[in-house]
Amino acid sequence: MPRRRAAKTKSSTVINLKILSQYLKLTPGTISVVLNDTPRAAEIPQDTKDRIFAAAKKFNYRPNHLARSLRNRRSAILGILAPEVSEGYGALLLNAISEYLIQKRYFYFVATHRRRPELLEEYPRMLMERSVEGFIVIDTVLDRPLPLPAVAISGHKIFPGLTNVILDHKHAANLALQHLRDLGHERIVYMRGQRFSADAHDRWKATRQVASELGMRIHPDSIIQLTMDTFSPEVGYPSMQEFLAKRKNFTALVAYNDFSAIGAIRALREYGLRVPEDVSVIGFDDVNSAAYQNPGLTTIRQPLKKMAEIAAQILLDRLDGQNVPKRVLIKPELIVRESTAPVKQCLTLKLEIPARYEPEPAKVF
């Protein structure tokens, strides 16, 4: 009987850093640095790292994160705030952030606030109660500083402890408008993003500036203001229908994002117009389905995986006490597919405005 108890005790021995240290003849600190992938791990030879990982696997070693967090006052947990996590821009960012944090051995909570002010106020507090060390914020207009270090993707407000990772919207506008200009388009319709969208103001400001620099006038009655709060192609469908009911003369559409472009294309087809033969359409984001539309959608690609990784790493660097930038500007890319074509291939729309229709004065933003 005593032998059986002794055997059981030996087999259930908890492998800790001290035991690994004795086995590898390395200091516990060196082992911890490698297994936790801290910045100092880059200074340790690869063969030593390989030995440490092999020993950890052999003995089924698991770091005691609770003990480490109590010692270092670190939890290795982050909070992510987003309007939603459905198909498209938000989901692509979230997947990329998740993949990166898993590699860095960080856990995370996701809170979707649906742009409701009371949730934006409540969720940071609730996440702090769950020991998060900082926040990654996606497509969210902040009206106050967050209580912990944070990085905002598509953030434009300046607050203490916050880094904004944003797209170079002027470069994006130049890519889109220059592409259409090179194709000979002059009568262009523009979709302006919903006012609650974090990028809407800066993207529209950049579009107007670039159009002016290129000598491309934006007519007040060629602006479609998106208002629908949805994360699907439906966002562009009724707005395009309403615009077409006014029977305007145009040969190209610059959509606010890919979803609004996809919805607009359906409305154009129902109206009897072909894309790109009658109207060229350019989107924004390059969501996964953009390349598989019919026709494939020409779009401005946001490098979302890169933006997600940069945002996550900046937050981890800040938590490690490193100096980080207040703003990071990311370059977009023009992806040309089948939804745009030279204007000579487009049919100029000779549509008469009905006599009974009197357009209301349009607001210029």
Side-chain angles (χ1 to χ4, degrees):
M1 289 295 291
R3 289 184 179 179
R4 289 181 182 176
R5 285 196 297 270
K8 183 178 180 180
T9 302
K10 183 176 181 180
S11 65
S12 61
T13 299
V14 176
I15 301 299
N16 55 31
L17 279 179
K18 183 176 180 181
I19 294 175
L20 278 183
S21 174
Q22 294 171 349
Y23 175 79
L24 292 166
K25 294 182 172 55
L26 296 169
T27 66
T30 298
I31 298 171
S32 177
V33 163
V34 171
L35 293 179
N36 291 307
D37 194 25
T38 68
R40 282 186 51 208
E43 304 171 6
I44 298 174
Q46 187 59 48
D47 59 340
T48 302
K49 293 181 185 178
D50 293 341
R51 287 178 54 218
I52 292 172
F53 285 122
K57 183 177 180 180
K58 176 179 179 179
F59 293 108
N60 196 30
Y61 172 75
R62 295 290 185 271
N64 189 334
H65 290 290
L66 177 59
R68 186 182 68 178
S69 66
L70 290 174
R71 288 195 306 270
N72 302 332
R73 296 184 180 179
R74 299 286 297 274
S75 65
I77 302 174
L78 300 180
I80 300 176
L81 296 168
E84 50 80 37
V85 291
S86 61
E87 177 190 4
Y89 170 86
L92 291 173
L93 280 173
L94 184 60
N95 287 337
I97 292 170
S98 171
E99 182 179 348
Y100 192 79
L101 292 180
I102 288 172
Q103 293 174 1
K104 296 297 181 179
R105 296 183 176 84
Y106 264 75
F107 187 68
Y108 61 91
F109 294 110
V110 179
T112 55
H113 52 72
R114 305 299 299 183
R115 308 189 195 281
R116 292 167 55 183
E118 71 275 15
L119 296 183
L120 271 170
E121 182 175 352
E122 182 181 3
Y123 281 170
R125 177 184 57 79
M126 294 177 65
L127 290 169
M128 288 178 64
E129 292 174 354
R130 287 155 178 79
S131 301
V132 302
E133 298 182 51
F135 301 104
I136 297 176
V137 185
I138 298 174
D139 189 23
T140 299
V141 178
L142 298 173
D143 61 0
R144 69 190 70 184
L146 289 168
L148 293 173
V151 177
I153 301 176
S154 297
H156 301 273
K157 295 293 185 69
I158 299 174
F159 292 119
L162 176 68
T163 294
N164 289 314
V165 176
I166 61 175
L167 198 73
D168 186 336
H169 287 285
K170 184 175 182 182
H171 185 57
N174 189 72
L175 290 173
L177 296 188
Q178 188 65 58
H179 174 63
L180 293 177
R181 183 183 183 184
D182 290 345
L183 293 175
H185 293 281
E186 296 179 356
R187 293 182 295 277
I188 301 172
V189 172
Y190 300 84
M191 280 185 171
R192 185 177 181 183
Q194 305 97 319
R195 289 179 174 83
F196 54 73
S197 177
D199 276 334
H201 175 77
D202 282 47
R203 192 174 302 173
W204 181 241
K205 179 180 177 181
T207 298
R208 292 180 61 194
Q209 182 178 353
V210 170
S212 176
E213 292 172 357
L214 294 177
M216 302 170 71
R217 182 186 172 194
I218 297 179
H219 295 270
D221 59 357
S222 67
I223 301 169
I224 298 175
Q225 175 67 64
L226 299 178
T227 58
M228 186 175 290
D229 188 0
T230 181
F231 302 97
S232 77
E234 186 184 2
V235 67
Y237 178 69
S239 297
M240 193 74 244
Q241 283 185 315
E242 182 180 350
F243 185 83
L244 288 168
K246 299 176 182 179
R247 307 189 68 161
K248 299 298 181 181
N249 186 353
F250 66 102
T251 64
L253 168 67
V254 176
Y256 180 63
N257 53 28
D258 289 346
F259 279 166
S260 61
I262 294 168
I265 288 173
R266 175 171 176 174
L268 288 166
R269 284 177 170 169
E270 290 180 355
Y271 197 76
L273 300 174
R274 300 167 298 168
V275 176
E277 292 87 352
D278 300 330
V279 178
S280 287
V281 176
I282 184 167
F284 204 106
D285 287 339
D286 196 26
V287 298
N288 288 337
S289 61
Y292 301 96
Q293 297 298 312
N294 184 21
L297 186 63
T298 295
T299 187
I300 301 298
R301 173 182 290 167
Q302 295 201 64
L304 298 179
K305 186 173 187 295
K306 178 180 179 181
M307 293 172 74
E309 292 176 349
I310 288 174
Q313 188 57 56
I314 286 176
L315 182 56
L316 298 185
D317 288 344
R318 183 186 290 277
L319 295 175
D320 284 335
Q322 300 182 37
N323 291 324
V324 297
K326 293 288 187 182
R327 183 171 179 264
V328 177
L329 201 61
I330 306 294
K331 291 290 184 183
E333 179 184 0
L334 173 66
I335 305 298
V336 179
R337 298 193 179 102
E338 296 82 32
S339 68
T340 52
V343 74
K344 65 181 180 181
Q345 295 181 16
C346 299
L347 299 178
T348 301
L349 306 184
K350 299 293 186 179
L351 301 177
E352 297 180 358
I353 300 178
R356 68 178 182 275
Y357 172 68
E358 295 182 2
E360 297 179 359
K363 295 182 179 179
V364 182
F365 300 96

